[in-house]
Amino acid sequence: MEKSRLALPEKPFRIHGGANTPHRKNTRHSQSVVMPCPEQVVLPMSQHIGAPCKPCVKKGFTVAVGDVIGESTGHICAPIHASISGKVSKITQVRLPNGHLYDAVVIESDGEMRMSKSIKPPVINSDTDLIKAVHDSGLVGLGGAGFPSHVKIDIHQENHCDTLIVNCSECEPYITADNREAVENTEDVLYGIITLLRYLHVERAIIGVEDNKPDAIRSLKAAINNCKEKEAKNICVLKLRSRYPQGAEKVLIKACTGRTVPPHKLPVDVGCIVMNITSVGFLGSYIKTGVPLISKRVTVDGSAVNEAKNVIVPIGTSVRDIIDFCGGYKETCGKLIIGGPMTGVSVPDDSCPILKQNNAVLALNKKDSLLPPATDCIRCGRCIKSCPMKLAPVNIETAVKMKDIDALNKNGVTLCMECGSCAYNCPAHRGLVQIIRMGKAMVHNAAKE
Amino acid sequence: MEEILNISVSPHIKTKTSTTRIMLDVIVALVPAMTAAIILFGIRAFIIIADTVFAAVLSEYLCRRVMKRDNTIHDLSAVVTGILLALNLPVGISPAIAAFGAVIAIAVVKQMFGGIGNNFVNPALAARIILMSSFPKPMTTWAVPFYYKRGEVDAVTAATPFVIHNSGGDVPLKDLFLGTTGGCMGETCALALIIGFIYLLIRRIISPVIPLTYIGTAALMAFFWHENILFHILSGGLLISAIFMASDYTTTPINTKGKFIFGIGCGILTFLIRYYGNLPEGVSFSVLIMNILVPLIERATAPRFDKKENSNA
């Protein structure tokens, strides 16, 4: 007996708060360019949330593209592959933008980009095969969070998961990497979605795309219409209003399904899996070719860079090499941001490597790199109105100042996803995200004691 | 890369809005009321406004200097306080008294409690009440509109609509709407205030919740007490207080739920003071009393996110 299926949404549901950020999608029509192999890559052993990998190569080893160089050490961990062929010149330690030191494998290129012999398409007949394949591919959430995907899709039968949400909202200003993925890699995206629907027994897939990406919506819709697989009729493209942070997991679930993820719960608790479109597209191509996650499309933009464009770079390429490939700096760089301007991390110099989950490099000139100084809070309440989680950043700030752990918990400081909407909208230009992070650290430390 | 790059916590872009821009918008919203005051009460209205603004900005500057804090006069909040205070004074007031009020508003009510964002009552309203109790006579001597046109040098005493109303008289609603009655400089012309209100709403500077619940509650009370509803809305300081004082960010609740309570409370108190009280005007006191209650309202209405955790523990 066919059980009644969930309907596909026609219109997005209302979301709360957010910020009216500028779009600045300058690279929207820039066809991705594959960057030539750099002289060396630095592959840190932590390119995901969870336990860092253990290097399984030694100095002097010769590696080919796709060879595993970092083995996973736990369940929440994804292996790391060589992104270029050549010789391991050293195993060193690098400091990542999050401030921690990690082991890193440095590979000097032999310029050949020789593919590993171990590369072969995975055989998938069941959900266990799929989860194993996803693990081996090294896939992590490519939208920015970097959560290992095999953990995400390892849903237990008892939580009935009925909806796969493919995140193509890309609400951050400047970034167009997901937009280009939807346009350039449409077939693989669709293949990835169909595979996930088939083996995870998920009823429907909703691709959420903000309305400032009409070309992505067109390509995806056309591909779904032309697809002959039976799953295609359970896939839809949902046009979302362009508003930051539409692409945040919980916000997107609300917009696509109308469901609210309760505080301290996960998307799977409301029957949803959210995956970034680039992750899904990669999955589609991995199943076809067996080439693990070795390269990444990044948007290079900002007022200090010469040619803004989308570049496909080997993972581990330094920001300096990427900027040089884009014509170098136009003017003195004041700030380098890995990621978008709303949630990206600013780095102290351009030597840091691109990781799996990075999707943009922004070089801002001196003028854009300076933010207006913070003035006193005028209690206007704009931070409360902009919070998608309905928190009250102004009250959190008071609690942080008073070091009041109780008040921090009452105000739900740990629920903050640091989207930055409050800090963006604050007319007193207060650094609310920084303050909230301090509050989270206080709660964390208090819980330890 | 020779130079060290700037590092900061995200977000790396910020809105163009600033405190100064918000205050500028409030000043723009007050332009119709100021214009109406000058038309109705002559050049002297302009002098009083300039006087209080000057005194407010100067005392803000000096306070910050004395307290060795950053100078904040560029955020224009002292200008707004000065204008609002002037609009809440009768035109015949001596400039010295008006300036004294501005000093009280800025130095005592605002800066002594920490400056912008930290004062617990509305500076302009508190100053008005202090002036009212210190100088009851000049503070309740109202000028007849257009007195200056008749060549009179001093403002002639006029009765406010409330005095007329309480002694059984009637004031045409048209006079109340256009402001051609006795009263404080800025409160008489309902039309100008409503234009300012609409501007503030369009620019999204204030939320309509407090002004509307405040006016609505007062109107509802008037209805149940068999009073003239429109008279109660248009006369006295209700509109100027509801639009410009009760919607002040700092001294009102920050949550929408709290805003409802605040507006309703203001409406009830205003009507009760007007109907049963012996004061010339209940608006200032009711907003001030509700200002003082704000911390309690905030505590009662703040959203809580820890209930689940407690029940699990």
Side-chain angles (χ1 to χ4, degrees):
Chain A
M1 199 179 79
E2 179 91 3
K3 75 175 176 205
S4 66
R5 290 205 157 264
L6 276 165
L8 294 171
E10 310 251 314
K11 271 198 311 211
F13 293 83
R14 266 185 71 116
I15 61 163
H16 182 267
N20 196 8
T21 52
H23 297 303
R24 299 185 189 160
K25 304 277 190 189
N26 313 320
T27 49
R28 195 151 71 87
H29 300 297
S30 118
Q31 179 83 25
S32 311
V33 197
V34 178
M35 186 175 152
C37 166
E39 277 170 25
Q40 72 159 38
V41 293
V42 178
L43 295 163
M45 289 296 108
S46 176
Q47 306 199 17
H48 49 255
I49 293 175
C53 292
K54 202 170 111 245
C56 59
V57 287
K58 291 215 167 65
K59 188 178 167 183
F61 275 35
T62 307
V63 290
V65 177
D67 280 342
V68 175
I69 55 152
E71 282 171 337
S72 64
T73 53
H75 179 55
I76 304 182
C77 188
I80 291 162
H81 302 83
S83 56
I84 58 173
S85 64
K87 208 169 220 165
V88 176
S89 66
K90 58 182 169 185
I91 307 221
T92 176
Q93 285 205 313
V94 291
R95 194 175 292 282
L96 291 188
N98 66 12
H100 294 286
L101 273 175
Y102 292 101
D103 286 343
V105 174
V106 182
I107 304 173
E108 299 292 338
S109 169
D110 57 10
E112 288 173 19
M113 289 303 269
R114 187 165 37 81
M115 297 304 268
S116 165
K117 292 193 181 72
S118 64
I119 291 176
K120 56 175 186 294
V123 182
I124 295 171
N125 291 316
S126 69
D127 55 343
T128 344
D129 291 350
L130 180 66
I131 291 164
K132 167 104 188 6
V134 169
H135 172 265
D136 294 345
S137 74
L139 179 60
V140 300
L142 298 180
F147 188 75
S149 300
H150 66 276
V151 185
K152 190 181 263 185
I153 64 169
D154 189 4
I155 42 172
H156 301 287
Q157 288 304 319
E158 65 266 19
N159 328 328
H160 176 67
C161 199
D162 54 29
T163 308
L164 168 70
I165 297 171
V166 178
N167 189 351
C168 185
S169 50
E170 200 161 55
C171 50
E172 281 259 11
Y174 292 106
I175 311 181
T176 56
D178 286 349
N179 187 358
R180 294 313 302 173
E181 175 79 14
V183 174
E184 294 167 12
N185 202 14
T186 326
E187 291 303 314
D188 285 347
V189 167
L190 204 60
Y191 188 60
I193 295 173
I194 288 170
T195 312
L196 287 167
L197 288 185
R198 187 174 298 162
Y199 293 107
L200 300 180
H201 312 289
V202 174
E203 287 179 32
R204 58 172 180 176
I206 304 167
I207 310 174
V209 193
E210 275 190 353
D211 56 14
N212 63 2
K213 290 173 263 300
D215 45 350
I217 296 176
R218 246 192 334 267
S219 311
L220 290 166
K221 277 193 170 156
I224 293 168
N225 286 338
N226 296 336
C227 181
K228 292 191 177 63
E229 303 277 347
K230 69 175 182 355
E231 282 87 354
K233 69 174 193 303
N234 300 322
I235 305 172
C236 77
V237 178
L238 186 62
K239 187 159 105 176
L240 308 169
R241 187 165 69 107
S242 297
R243 184 166 178 86
Y244 186 85
Q246 192 75 257
E249 196 169 57
K250 290 179 178 179
V251 178
L252 189 69
I253 291 173
K254 176 78 182 169
C256 289
T257 65
R259 298 172 195 171
T260 305
V261 183
H264 312 291
K265 294 277 180 188
L266 293 172
V268 74
D269 294 313
V270 292
C272 296
I273 306 183
V274 184
M275 281 183 89
N276 177 266
I277 190 157
T278 306
S279 306
V280 176
F282 165 77
L283 181 65
S285 57
Y286 175 72
I287 293 166
K288 283 180 187 165
T289 63
V291 178
L293 188 56
I294 50 155
S295 64
K296 187 70 201 289
R297 181 190 290 103
V298 291
T299 302
V300 184
D301 202 344
S303 46
V305 77
N306 236 324
E307 304 156 30
K309 56 181 157 192
N310 281 300
V311 193
I312 296 175
V313 302
I315 286 162
T317 310
S318 75
V319 169
R320 188 184 301 132
D321 290 345
I322 298 173
I323 300 269
D324 284 346
F325 179 68
C326 294
Y329 296 107
K330 189 160 57 180
E331 38 186 308
T332 319
C333 180
K335 192 188 252 179
L336 263 180
I337 304 167
I338 308 286
M342 291 300 284
T343 57
V345 184
S346 61
V347 289
D349 60 50
D350 56 8
S351 66
C352 66
I354 284 293
L355 310 181
K356 289 174 180 178
Q357 70 267 40
N358 297 153
N359 46 16
V361 172
L362 302 179
L364 304 183
N365 63 18
K366 278 263 175 303
K367 186 172 142 272
D368 290 352
S369 71
L370 297 173
L371 294 173
T375 53
D376 284 339
C377 170
I378 53 171
R379 291 174 44 86
C380 64
R382 280 173 175 76
C383 54
I384 297 181
K385 273 193 209 135
S386 34
C387 182
M389 304 303 291
K390 303 186 183 176
L391 304 178
V394 53
N395 296 348
I396 295 176
E397 187 179 7
T398 316
V400 168
K401 271 190 205 149
M402 309 295 289
K403 298 194 169 63
D404 184 346
I405 306 295
D406 225 31
L408 283 171
N409 282 324
K410 268 181 205 161
N411 281 298
V413 67
T414 52
L415 298 175
C416 171
M417 56 187 178
E418 298 171 18
C419 69
S421 300
C422 54
Y424 177 85
N425 280 333
C426 178
H429 307 125
R430 301 191 69 76
L432 292 166
V433 173
Q434 187 167 10
I435 289 158
I436 289 172
R437 281 190 190 158
M438 280 165 64
K440 284 182 177 177
M442 282 178 193
V443 170
H444 192 72
N445 291 340
K448 261 198 241 164
E449 277 162 16
Chain B
M1 182 141 288
E2 325 80 50
E3 280 190 77
I4 295 170
L5 297 175
N6 285 318
I7 298 279
S8 67
V9 173
S10 60
H12 305 286
I13 48 173
K14 297 240 167 168
T15 173
K16 289 202 180 73
T17 311
S18 63
T19 306
T20 310
R21 278 202 185 198
I22 291 173
M23 292 302 162
L24 199 61
D25 268 332
V26 177
I27 294 170
V28 171
L30 282 165
V31 164
M34 286 191 277
T35 315
I38 294 167
I39 293 172
L40 292 168
F41 299 108
I43 194 73
R44 198 187 159 87
F46 176 76
I47 294 169
I48 300 288
I49 295 172
D51 174 52
T52 52
V53 168
F54 178 75
V57 173
L58 187 69
S59 38
E60 171 123 335
Y61 175 75
L62 292 177
C63 281
R64 301 299 284 196
R65 273 297 283 271
V66 169
M67 294 192 292
K68 297 193 172 62
R69 288 173 167 228
D70 292 343
N71 186 11
T72 51
I73 55 168
H74 56 80
D75 69 21
L76 300 179
S77 60
V79 177
V80 172
T81 304
I83 296 173
L84 280 176
L85 176 64
L87 294 182
N88 272 296
L89 297 174
V91 73
I93 195 113
S94 113
I97 296 179
F100 173 69
V103 173
I104 295 276
I106 297 296
V108 179
V109 185
K110 189 179 169 196
Q111 292 300 343
M112 280 194 185
F113 288 91
I116 186 166
N118 293 309
N119 46 299
F120 69 104
V121 288
N122 188 310
L125 274 187
R128 185 196 182 189
I129 284 172
I130 288 169
L131 291 185
M132 194 106 89
S133 33
S134 313
F135 309 97
K137 189 77 179 56
M139 282 297 287
T140 49
T141 309
W142 317 105
V144 180
F146 303 117
Y147 70 91
Y148 59 93
K149 281 194 178 161
R150 281 168 288 176
E152 291 159 30
V153 183
D154 281 322
V156 181
T157 309
T160 64
F162 267 100
V163 175
I164 302 171
H165 178 76
N166 288 349
S167 53
D170 205 13
V171 185
L173 287 177
K174 185 173 141 273
D175 281 349
L176 291 173
F177 190 68
L178 296 176
T180 48
T181 59
C184 294
M185 285 192 280
E187 71 180 23
T188 59
C189 182
L191 175 67
L193 295 169
I194 291 168
I195 293 172
F197 183 45
I198 293 169
Y199 177 80
L200 288 178
L201 290 185
I202 290 173
R203 299 282 297 158
R204 291 170 173 248
I205 300 297
I206 60 167
S207 132
V209 172
I210 291 178
L212 294 185
T213 47
Y214 186 176
I215 297 167
T217 309
L220 208 65
M221 300 263 304
F223 173 76
F224 284 118
W225 266 255
H226 303 293
E227 289 273 306
N228 184 339
I229 296 173
L230 275 177
F231 173 81
H232 268 272
I233 293 175
L234 296 175
S235 61
L238 178 62
L239 279 179
I240 190 169
S241 283
I243 295 167
F244 292 101
M245 311 286 203
S247 64
D248 170 39
Y249 292 146
T250 306
T251 54
T252 58
I254 207 159
N255 295 306
T256 307
K257 217 195 281 176
K259 286 190 194 331
F260 270 102
I261 298 174
F262 184 90
I264 292 168
C266 284
I268 293 173
L269 285 176
T270 299
F271 185 84
L272 292 180
I273 295 175
R274 277 180 173 183
Y275 194 80
Y276 295 109
N278 210 4
L279 288 164
E281 176 63 302
V283 169
S284 307
F285 278 101
S286 45
V287 175
L288 216 61
I289 291 168
M290 292 310 289
N291 280 167
I292 295 167
L293 290 178
V294 165
L296 297 177
I297 300 174
E298 294 269 60
R299 190 181 295 182
T301 56
R304 294 190 52 165
F305 297 91
D306 59 340
K307 282 174 194 157
K308 273 247 161 58
E309 281 183 335
N310 285 349
S311 62
N312 288 348

